[in-house]
Amino acid sequence: MNSKHVVIVGAGIVGAASAIWLRRAGFDVTLLDKGTPGMGASYGNGCILARCSIVPVTGPGLLAKGPVYLANPDFPLFMRWSYAPKLIPWLVKYLGHANTADTRRISQGLNTIVGDSLEQHQALTAGTDAAKWVQESQYNFAYANRAAFEADAFTWQLREEAGFVPEIIEGAAVQEAEPILGKNTQLLAIMKDHGFIHNPGSYVQDLVKLLEALGGKFIQAEVKDFEMSGGQISAVDTSEGRIHCDKAIVSSGVWSKPLMEKLGLSVPLEAERGYHIVFKEPSQRPNNPMMLSAGKFVATSMDQGVRCAGIVEFGGLTEKRSKAPLKLLRRKVQEFFPDLTYESAEEWLGYRPAPTDSLPLIGEVNNSGVFTAFGHHHIGLTGGPKTGRLVADMIAGNHSNQDLRPFEPMRFAAK
């Protein structure tokens, strides 16, 4: 067994996967989180292993369309205007990628992380109790009609170039495939070989239990600082005391930014405030996870009910929920699922870590022994196991044959 000790900061899907792969490689591993494992962004996603989700939000034309979207109360993009002055520097860089060349480049990078998502989740959990949460499925994209589907031609072109080609059904066949859908949906683009997680929070918690069964440790503690010696990490200072280590991984989502600043790296990272609603004891459930393209939300049948997620809001880390995004989501759900009834509904707000270039940071910070594994925007659950495997391989000295330069954290170093 390898006696080197690795401390991992953040017990979401990325941190848990990193810890398991490192432990399997023989490292001593301590996983830290200030809260309960899996209860941050890893908890509140759409549950989908969306391996074809390789196209960033910053597509061509967003610069012109953005203000129109913000002004439209029926579009699922919101701003807490009191936060806008703080957001502007990040937003300028973010919108700077809203062009064809950058979209193609980012898409190719994202495909590296999510393109084999289902297989990566299966490899992570094979033969363990956590495997029960991983379900193979289709991923259906619902459109009003053929014209609406064709309006997304650029997105589908990028997916096709990556090998993701949909099967199209139209008309009455749509409701035969998905009875929950109303008549206003007349086309489904069906993606095979996808999957979903029945309960992401419980899934991550089972992964942490697996880590402990493998001999790793989990400690609930808040990380305060890094102790460096000769430019190399030697310990992590936490609310529970100092923990000595040889290497460290930062996988704490949007909370990673202040930790990077302690290492002299200023990462342009913002919190994209993501909302979901779980409709409990529903009268209907989707047969497969689906993206309601006109409503820009996903719907998945999971353990707790039907989870609908996807509203975007910018406004920092305040825990106060805005009423308008949740009100719009409820209205859109009723619009697309007109016959859905339910016993109760649970609302949730979380923080997706959004770098300006929509690519996660995976790699070592300035030869410090501190590795990054955060910034997954909308693809954290989907890409978590692959990211964990890649960063574990970096620490173990196993070189990947994939191009990881797009994820280099030092791309944000001062020049």
Side-chain angles (χ1 to χ4, degrees), residues 50-57 103-115 155 157-164 359 379:
R51 52 192 292 259
C52 71
S53 290
I54 60 170
V55 184
V57 174
T103 301
R104 286 189 175 278
R105 175 182 59 81
I106 293 166
S107 178
Q108 290 167 1
L110 293 177
N111 191 35
T112 301
I113 300 301
V114 304
T155 295
Q157 179 189 348
L158 292 181
R159 288 180 180 141
E160 185 171 345
E161 289 171 4
F164 299 110
L359 291 166
I379 60 161

Side-chain angles (χ1 to χ4, degrees), residues 44-46 72-78 273-279 290-300 306-313 321-338 340 342 345-350 352:
N45 49 68
N72 182 356
D74 284 329
F75 194 85
L77 175 62
F78 294 85
R273 297 160 60 83
Y275 291 86
H276 83 225
I277 302 174
V278 177
F279 298 96
M290 65 174 73
M291 162 65 78
L292 286 303
S293 298
K296 296 290 189 292
F297 73 91
V298 297
T300 308
V306 175
R307 179 177 288 184
C308 296
I311 299 290
V312 171
E313 181 186 49
R321 297 174 188 170
S322 300
K323 294 180 181 179
L326 289 163
K327 185 177 179 181
L328 176 62
L329 184 54
R330 286 178 181 272
R331 192 165 75 245
K332 290 294 182 182
V333 168
Q334 186 175 21
E335 179 182 326
F336 291 105
F337 307 148
L340 175 66
Y342 49 90
E346 178 184 275
E347 299 175 347
W348 181 89
L349 163 67
R352 303 185 187 108

Side-chain angles (χ1 to χ4, degrees), residues 43-107:
Y43 174 85
N45 49 68
C47 308
I48 304 169
L49 305 183
R51 52 192 292 259
C52 71
S53 290
I54 60 170
V55 184
V57 174
T58 50
L62 181 63
L63 188 59
K65 295 174 185 174
V68 178
Y69 291 157
L70 280 171
N72 182 356
D74 284 329
F75 194 85
L77 175 62
F78 294 85
M79 175 80 75
R80 293 177 70 91
W81 290 105
S82 60
Y83 188 77
K86 293 181 182 178
L87 185 70
I88 287 173
W90 176 91
L91 192 60
V92 169
K93 294 178 182 177
Y94 185 65
L95 292 174
H97 296 286
N99 58 73
T100 300
D102 277 339
T103 301
R104 286 189 175 278
R105 175 182 59 81
I106 293 166
S107 178

Side-chain angles (χ1 to χ4, degrees), residues 14 17-19 21-22 373 383-393:
V14 178
S18 304
W21 284 119
L22 280 168
K386 180 66 169 288
T387 299
R389 201 167 193 172
L390 288 171
V391 76
D393 280 346

Side-chain angles (χ1 to χ4, degrees), residues 188-360:
L188 280 184
I190 299 170
M191 300 300 304
K192 303 283 182 67
D193 302 320
H194 278 61
F196 67 99
I197 304 297
H198 286 284
N199 187 323
S202 295
Y203 176 48
V204 174
Q205 288 164 23
D206 273 1
L207 291 175
V208 174
K209 290 175 184 175
L210 170 60
L211 170 68
E212 293 174 323
L214 292 170
K217 295 179 184 175
F218 170 71
I219 299 174
Q220 189 164 335
E222 183 174 0
V223 173
K224 302 292 188 181
D225 208 347
F226 300 115
E227 182 71 20
M228 311 297 289
S229 177
Q232 290 276 314
I233 189 163
S234 59
V236 176
D237 289 332
T238 81
S239 56
E240 298 297 312
R242 177 167 292 182
I243 301 174
H244 293 277
C245 62
D246 301 286
K247 306 286 183 184
I249 299 172
V250 177
S251 57
S252 48
V254 73
W255 314 105
S256 303
K257 181 176 180 176
L259 293 176
M260 290 297 100
E261 290 171 353
K262 294 179 182 298
L263 298 173
L265 189 64
S266 180
V267 180
L269 187 76
E270 270 295 332
E272 186 189 277
R273 297 160 60 83
Y275 291 86
H276 83 225
I277 302 174
V278 177
F279 298 96
K280 298 188 174 183
E281 302 295 329
S283 59
Q284 297 174 296
R285 290 174 177 263
N287 291 327
N288 288 281
M290 65 174 73
M291 162 65 78
L292 286 303
S293 298
K296 296 290 189 292
F297 73 91
V298 297
T300 308
S301 175
M302 43 98 70
D303 267 16
Q304 295 146 298
V306 175
R307 179 177 288 184
C308 296
I311 299 290
V312 171
E313 181 186 49
F314 290 109
L317 292 170
T318 173
E319 294 181 5
K320 185 178 180 181
R321 297 174 188 170
S322 300
K323 294 180 181 179
L326 289 163
K327 185 177 179 181
L328 176 62
L329 184 54
R330 286 178 181 272
R331 192 165 75 245
K332 290 294 182 182
V333 168
Q334 186 175 21
E335 179 182 326
F336 291 105
F337 307 148
D339 297 326
L340 175 66
T341 60
Y342 49 90
E343 292 296 316
S344 62
E346 178 184 275
E347 299 175 347
W348 181 89
L349 163 67
Y351 312 101
R352 303 185 187 108
T356 48
D357 62 1
S358 301
L359 291 166

